[in-house]
Amino acid sequence: MFKTLTTLVISLLILVHASTQDTLYNQAIHQLNQLSQNFTRSEIYNIDNIEGNLYIPQFDPLTNDYDTRKQIPKNDPPVELTDKIIPMLIKSATESNNPHAYSTLGDLYLFGNYSLPTDYTRARDYYHKAVEIGPDGHAYFMLGFIYSTGLFGTFPIDQERGNLYYHFGMENGDLNALLVMAYKNYKGIGVPVNCDLSLNYYAKLAKYGKQWFDVNDISREVDYNIRIPDFNGGLYGEKMSEMPSTIEIRSKYFNDLKNSIEEFKLNSNEHEYATLYYNGLENYKGDYFIPKNLTKAFQSFHECVQLGDEIYGANDYRNVDGMDKIFLSACQTKLGRMYLYGLGVKKDVAKAFELFQLSLRLSQTAEAWNDIGVIQEQGLLGPPNYEDAIKSYQSSIKKKSANANKNLAKLLMNLNGNKEENPHANDQVENIFKYMKEAVYLRDTEALYYMGNFLQSGVQKVFEPTSEPPSCTSILVYYRIFIERLSQFYAPHLKYAFEELVAGNFKNSLIGYAIAAEQGLEPAQISAAYLLYQLQPLYSKLTPKTFTPERVDMAIQYLDRASKQTNVDATILLGDIFSGECQSAVPQDNDRAFNYYRIASDKHSSHGTFRLAEMYEYGMGPVNDSVDYFMAKRYYDSSLQYKEKFDFEQKNSFSKVTFSKSHIDWALLRLRFKYLFNRKAFTDSGKSEGGWLSAFNTVSKRASNEKQHQKQIDSISKAEAHHEGTTGYGEEYMEDYDVGDYLVIALTFTFFMVFFVQNIVRQIRRMRNGQNNNNNNQNENENANENANGNFQNGWNGNQFNFRRGNFEFHFFAI
Ligand SMILES: *[C@@H]1O[C@H](CO)[C@@H](O)[C@H](O)[C@H]1NC(C)=O
Ligand SMILES: *[C@@H]1O[C@H](CO)[C@@H](O)[C@H](O)[C@H]1NC(C)=O
Ligand SMILES: *[C@@H]1O[C@H](CO)[C@@H](O)[C@H](O)[C@H]1NC(C)=O
Ligand SMILES: *[C@@H]1O[C@H](CO)[C@@H](O)[C@H](O)[C@H]1NC(C)=O
């Protein structure tokens, strides 16, 4: 459902009221609900084929749809819908003048639910009719969306009108519109920047979210707030993208783990706990393709615990094998939790408690201690015992539990007759603040909400009277992240968007992502941009796609917004678009491209810095398009350095993503040759005399002066990263590499000599063998370098810098 829960409740109330007047409408809604239970789509993507394979077809402006005819036959909408429900709604709308009937009709034709062919003009008219009868928050919101996006070329864009309708929507209690307005005021999109107002809106939104949070467990929900290009390894494919993936296909991940464990454990009995544990987890939460099944999850965990009991129970769980210890204990904790909350089994707190105790004997886990704390605090077995609860939480906190930090902070807030709403008066206020902050750092979601509250009401003033009050934006960040993590509540249309994507209804999918993009969710902005403007890999055999200017403009807008939310891949892509490398419909604009690359470079993006260097090298830079090898060299060096740093961080975070750096090596080599053949360009700028070595060294000295400055930036971004609950940068990445200057040059020339001699030898051999292929080969060899260079300029989408001639990679350090 598109409306968020609160508005849903309200509209349900209205429904109840209206039911006396409009039975026809109620009947229609009832049948729609039935339809939703039985409706299935035929899917073109599944867990096995989506990765690396997500292809957005050509958009055809004539039919106003993506060209999917060859791929999938269009599904027909169910007859109940077309022959019964829609006529009923139309009748209700026209005869009883029911605004909700109009609004529902608008939704059906805009979203295309149940495979109903969309009709945007009709949808717009229905929404207009709805608000003519009376104010309707949802209809206003949809009108705002229609006018501010123009539905990607269907209507002319009218930003002012769109904003006006969004505003009306917000005034009439529509949470979607409120989120849009919060974001617009925050970033100053179509309205002046107004942080205080925005904070106001976000705080209000967060309150609704918190109410929802209190009755829903998001830890068992799938988060559809994803960037769909991440299925293809990111905007730039696996090797070049620098943003971490948002995709988490748990079942695949668990399978990998299971397999690798099985590889190392040859005796088949020994990894049974692990296998059962991962099976259980897979069903406990589900993912984009596998629905969760608590019954199955319970069965797996139960079997795991049972097995442990059979084998180790008699011996009182002594001498348990190390590996089994971990997984058996984990199974017990999970099973205990299922008993504790009655998931997939009847609630049984005593049983849960017993399992937690048992698991603690095997392995002291944060999870078990935390859950024991919950039982003690809430008095689920006997009277509440706060002292014991605090002790349990603290044991859990020692193991870095986010949950326990939050639970302890909340417990302290409520102890001794204190009220959660007023932590100021609490003598534990400093501890409360401390634990809550720790919970935020450990990525607890609810703690973000509390921290936002604390900062907004100035709690830290109580124990730090001299501290500066936090800035508006720094408070706002907490609420924003809280809202982003609760996308299931704030943006249920994301789930719809994903389901339509998987079914190959790209047009409907785009609507869902675009709404979330308007609401400021960065992953959705990327997804919407991708649906509007997915370029093909360089060597694709498919016919090149064309894009209408409206859609490209819209894609650029979304990319720009994502870029402003620190998506560095989006920043670089914008640079590529404006430097004319993407066969794009926009005119080349080197200045803009340069600016984007510089922004990326300032964020220490290796890829962006590389592009910047290229602009200097090829004279596309800012200063009268002059070639500047010094700056080029400097940025290639930085690019290499950022790359080392990036790899270091990746290694630390156990992520598999690393991208190839051979393109940087190539560029440096190229530059070196340019120097050899064009010394003038290097000495002309008057910054150095001497040989090329000292010329380059001057540059690196200049660069090192700026290192100080960069350190500052580093510490700021680190602080921010901390702020946002992400991890900071690693410290010990490569910084200097002056050693080996001469060695490198020697090696380079040796390499080329060998290469050269080899080729000559080969040529001679071939000449002996026959004269036929002679010319061809020579040409190919000469082209090899050029090909490689051409590749670097087109890094878009999974281009992996294949060198067709030979697989050589030089890893020498720059000077
Ligand atoms: C159609 O789908 C949208 C998007 O999920 C949803 O918000 C809306 O309620 C649906 N409409 C109907 C009539 O089912
Ligand atoms: C779902 O479909 C089945 C058979 O196709 C039908 O018997 C059942 O009544 C339908 N359920 C609903 C809720 O419409
Ligand atoms: C969950 O799994 C059980 C046992 O395999 C099965 O009987 C049940 O139908 C499944 N439930 C759902 C909702 O898929
Ligand atoms: C760029 O060119 C303009 C006119 O051609 C000239 O006046 C200006 O000084 C140049 N700028 C630089 C930095 O060379």
Side-chain angles (χ1 to χ4, degrees):
M1 290 298 283
F2 178 68
K3 289 176 185 173
T4 49
L5 213 70
T6 334
T7 45
L8 190 81
V9 172
I10 295 167
S11 53
L12 276 180
L13 287 178
I14 295 169
L15 271 183
V16 171
H17 179 69
S19 66
T20 46
Q21 297 150 5
D22 194 350
T23 42
L24 213 51
Y25 174 71
N26 291 316
Q27 237 178 334
I29 294 297
H30 180 70
Q31 293 201 5
L32 271 176
N33 282 339
Q34 292 216 320
L35 203 59
S36 73
Q37 278 161 27
N38 256 6
F39 180 71
T40 52
R41 305 165 169 86
S42 57
E43 299 177 345
I44 61 169
Y45 289 114
N46 57 44
I47 191 166
D48 297 317
N49 72 5
I50 194 166
E51 281 178 300
N53 198 26
L54 182 63
Y55 176 73
I56 314 296
Q58 166 77 44
F59 182 81
D60 184 355
L62 284 180
T63 57
N64 200 15
D65 200 352
Y66 290 89
D67 201 0
T68 49
R69 272 161 302 171
K70 278 161 273 167
Q71 267 182 315
I72 29 164
K74 275 260 179 284
N75 291 337
D76 285 327
V79 266
E80 294 107 292
L81 182 67
T82 46
D83 292 4
K84 270 164 87 184
I85 298 173
I86 288 182
M88 265 183 343
L89 284 170
I90 291 178
K91 200 159 172 223
S92 154
T94 47
E95 284 175 13
S96 325
N97 228 12
N98 184 344
H100 303 304
Y102 276 123
S103 178
T104 307
L105 280 166
D107 279 357
L108 283 172
Y109 281 108
L110 187 81
F111 287 101
N113 310 55
Y114 314 112
S115 308
L116 184 71
T118 54
D119 185 341
Y120 291 162
T121 312
R122 205 190 287 196
R124 187 190 56 176
D125 294 346
Y126 280 135
Y127 289 129
H128 270 303
K129 286 253 176 60
V131 299
E132 267 164 30
I133 298 168
D136 178 320
H138 175 65
Y140 276 132
F141 168 72
M142 292 313 296
L143 284 169
F145 174 69
I146 290 171
Y147 283 105
S148 53
T149 58
L151 296 182
F152 322 105
T154 314
F155 308 115
I157 291 178
D158 187 343
Q159 206 65 58
E160 260 169 53
R161 207 165 165 189
N163 276 348
L164 197 67
Y165 280 123
Y166 278 143
H167 194 83
F168 288 161
M170 180 181 75
E171 301 272 283
N172 286 290
D174 186 77
L175 285 194
N176 286 302
L178 184 59
L179 188 49
V180 171
M181 290 314 282
Y183 174 62
K184 286 194 175 227
N185 279 287
Y186 173 46
K187 292 284 180 184
I189 298 168
V191 295
V193 176
N194 187 340
C195 186
D196 291 326
L197 188 60
S198 172
L199 176 59
N200 211 331
Y201 292 160
Y202 276 123
K204 194 168 159 191
L205 279 162
K207 270 212 183 72
Y208 288 111
K210 174 71 167 63
Q211 284 165 11
W212 180 83
F213 185 91
D214 288 340
V215 288
N216 288 278
D217 182 359
I218 58 160
S219 69
R220 282 181 292 113
E221 299 290 330
V222 179
D223 186 3
Y224 288 94
N225 190 14
I226 53 172
R227 301 184 209 108
I228 55 171
D230 286 352
F231 281 115
N232 288 346
L235 270 179
Y236 277 94
E238 218 148 83
K239 294 261 166 72
M240 293 297 291
S241 301
E242 291 174 331
M243 294 299 289
S245 176
T246 52
I247 306 271
E248 190 197 3
I249 303 185
R250 291 165 64 95
S251 50
K252 252 206 169 138
Y253 176 66
F254 293 146
N255 241 330
D256 285 353
L257 281 176
K258 260 187 311 207
N259 289 343
S260 54
I261 287 173
E262 274 163 34
E263 252 171 54
F264 289 113
K265 285 264 175 176
L266 298 171
N267 184 344
S268 67
N269 287 327
E270 278 179 49
H271 49 72
E272 233 166 332
Y273 300 102
T275 309
L276 286 168
Y277 176 68
Y278 287 126
N279 278 346
L281 276 191
E282 199 176 302
N283 290 303
Y284 188 69
K285 185 166 173 179
D287 61 31
Y288 316 111
F289 298 100
I290 295 182
K292 72 174 165 218
N293 186 333
L294 290 178
T295 320
K296 272 194 198 162
F298 178 81
Q299 281 167 359
S300 296
F301 291 135
H302 189 70
E303 199 180 323
C304 173
V305 170
Q306 213 65 71
L307 187 71
D309 202 40
E310 275 164 30
I311 294 183
Y312 296 113
N315 202 5
D316 208 18
Y317 291 93
R318 264 169 297 188
N319 309 325
V320 183
D321 171 80
M323 182 90 149
D324 290 356
K325 216 181 225 171
I326 294 167
F327 284 104
L328 181 53
S329 163
C331 284
Q332 287 161 337
T333 310
K334 272 277 180 288
L335 191 68
R337 174 159 287 187
M338 297 193 90
Y339 276 117
L340 179 57
Y341 294 106
L343 309 170
V345 64
K346 205 164 155 289
K347 192 165 165 169
D348 184 346
V349 181
K351 180 98 189 150
F353 193 74
E354 196 182 302
L355 281 163
F356 293 141
Q357 297 284 8
L358 198 56
S359 97
L360 284 177
R361 289 182 57 186
L362 289 177
S363 164
Q364 299 275 323
T365 57
E367 228 181 315
W369 273 121
N370 178 58
D371 287 347
I372 286 181
V374 170
I375 293 175
Q376 289 162 333
E377 180 190 345
Q378 297 183 358
L380 299 176
L381 281 178
N385 186 336
Y386 298 129
E387 260 173 51
D388 283 355
I390 291 177
K391 273 189 212 139
S392 302
Y393 286 143
Q394 258 155 357
S395 305
S396 180
I397 287 170
K398 275 201 202 106
K399 303 264 166 195
K400 296 250 171 275
S401 159
N403 238 317
N405 269 299
K406 178 196 66 191
N407 285 339
L408 183 53
K410 279 173 78 174
L411 174 58
L412 292 178
M413 278 200 277
N414 289 318
L415 266 188
N416 307 326
N418 283 311
K419 285 270 153 31
E420 206 172 276
E421 299 80 52
N422 188 15
H424 294 255
N426 195 315
D427 54 1
Q428 290 280 341
V429 61
E430 188 165 358
N431 279 333
I432 294 171
F433 193 78
K434 188 184 84 187
Y435 289 127
M436 205 56 102
K437 198 161 151 191
E438 193 60 26
V440 168
Y441 290 163
L442 294 169
R443 300 187 59 81
D444 187 83
T445 299
E446 195 186 4
L448 287 160
Y449 170 79
Y450 283 108
M451 258 334 251
N453 269 350
F454 289 170
L455 294 179
Q456 212 179 354
S457 62
V459 161
Q460 76 279 43
K461 265 268 182 271
V462 177
F463 54 90
E464 275 178 18
T466 53
S467 64
E468 289 278 310
S471 69
C472 171
T473 40
S474 69
I475 304 171
L476 193 143
V477 161
Y478 288 96
Y479 288 133
R480 281 206 78 200
I481 300 175
F482 176 72
I483 285 166
E484 250 167 58
R485 297 240 186 105
L486 257 56
S487 69
Q488 294 94 338
F489 170 70
Y490 291 103
H493 32 287
L494 284 174
K495 180 167 189 236
Y496 179 77
F498 184 76
E499 284 166 354
E500 291 291 285
L501 178 81
V502 168
N505 299 328
F506 299 100
K507 191 181 173 186
N508 294 347
S509 177
L510 174 60
I511 296 288
Y513 284 119
I515 289 175
E518 290 282 305
Q519 295 174 319
L521 300 181
E522 180 265 320
Q525 289 168 341
I526 297 291
S527 298
Y530 203 64
L531 282 164
L532 287 166
Y533 189 54
Q534 182 207 36
L535 287 161
Q536 277 146 293
L538 209 65
Y539 303 113
S540 127
K541 291 179 196 72
L542 303 155
T543 44
K545 283 187 261 186
T546 56
F547 302 95
T548 59
E550 292 93 351
R551 294 172 78 85
V552 177
D553 280 351
M554 211 65 210
I556 288 176
Q557 234 180 69
Y558 287 142
L559 286 171
D560 188 55
R561 291 181 196 171
S563 159
K564 290 198 173 107
Q565 304 200 57
T566 69
N567 184 317
V568 74
D569 288 336
T571 313
I572 301 168
L573 179 54
L574 283 162
D576 285 0
I577 289 173
F578 283 110
S579 64
E581 297 199 347
C582 295
Q583 25 162 337
S584 58
V586 291
Q588 188 168 350
D589 183 343
N590 279 348
D591 285 350
R592 280 187 84 172
F594 184 85
N595 269 335
Y596 280 119
Y597 291 144
R598 202 171 46 195
I599 292 168
S601 172
D602 285 348
K603 286 188 196 138
H604 292 192
S605 150
S606 172
H607 186 190
T609 309
F610 179 80
R611 294 291 198 197
L612 199 59
E614 272 189 339
M615 292 208 95
Y616 278 114
E617 185 185 347
Y618 291 106
M620 298 185 292
V623 192
N624 287 353
D625 288 346
S626 61
V627 172
D628 188 338
Y629 287 146
F630 277 97
M631 293 302 271
K633 170 75 170 74
R634 200 188 119 183
Y635 281 112
Y636 282 132
D637 282 348
S638 305
S639 175
L640 208 55
Q641 193 187 341
Y642 297 152
K643 166 81 181 95
E644 305 280 348
K645 181 177 146 188
F646 183 84
D647 284 350
F648 182 83
E649 281 161 19
Q650 293 295 314
K651 224 185 300 155
N652 275 8
S653 63
F654 301 102
S655 162
K656 277 182 272 175
V657 185
T658 54
F659 59 89
S660 159
K661 68 170 186 166
S662 51
H663 61 292
I664 312 173
D665 294 337
W666 264 109
L668 281 166
L669 191 65
R670 190 172 65 221
L671 205 60
R672 207 158 281 161
F673 273 102
K674 280 188 182 165
Y675 173 80
L676 283 184
F677 297 113
N678 188 8
R679 271 162 216 264
K680 233 169 160 221
F682 280 74
T683 42
D684 259 359
S685 36
K687 274 155 198 150
S688 155
E689 271 119 52
W692 77 305
L693 211 79
S694 70
F696 279 136
N697 276 333
T698 323
V699 179
S700 43
K701 275 201 199 88
R702 218 178 342 143
S704 79
N705 282 341
E706 274 158 48
K707 226 172 242 162
Q708 215 50 34
H709 177 61
Q710 254 162 24
K711 282 225 174 85
Q712 253 169 338
I713 295 178
D714 248 4
S715 63
I716 292 170
S717 52
K718 209 185 297 167
E720 262 171 17
H722 210 190
H723 214 67
E724 300 187 1
T726 54
T727 46
Y729 290 121
E731 295 270 55
E732 308 120 66
Y733 57 88
M734 283 288 303
E735 286 219 358
D736 285 295
Y737 34 81
D738 288 334
V739 209
D741 288 2
Y742 295 93
L743 190 69
V744 160
I745 296 161
L747 275 178
T748 311
F749 281 103
T750 319
F751 175 83
F752 265 83
M753 283 310 287
V754 172
F755 192 61
F756 186 69
V757 171
Q758 259 184 358
N759 269 330
I760 291 184
V761 170
R762 223 177 282 154
Q763 291 287 349
I764 292 170
R765 241 184 243 151
R766 269 180 209 148
M767 267 201 290
R768 275 194 204 137
N769 289 349
Q771 311 262 324
N772 314 358
N773 297 330
N774 215 356
N775 291 336
N776 281 349
N777 276 331
Q778 199 160 0
N779 280 344
E780 268 177 44
N781 283 334
E782 274 167 17
N783 284 341
N785 258 331
E786 267 173 49
N787 272 344
N789 288 350
N791 286 352
F792 301 133
Q793 292 165 41
N794 293 292
W796 165 254
N797 207 359
N799 173 15
Q800 302 180 4
F801 303 114
N802 310 312
F803 305 119
R804 275 186 285 134
R805 307 241 95 212
N807 202 8
F808 35 79
E809 250 187 44
F810 325 76
H811 286 275
F812 55 84
F813 286 149
I815 300 151

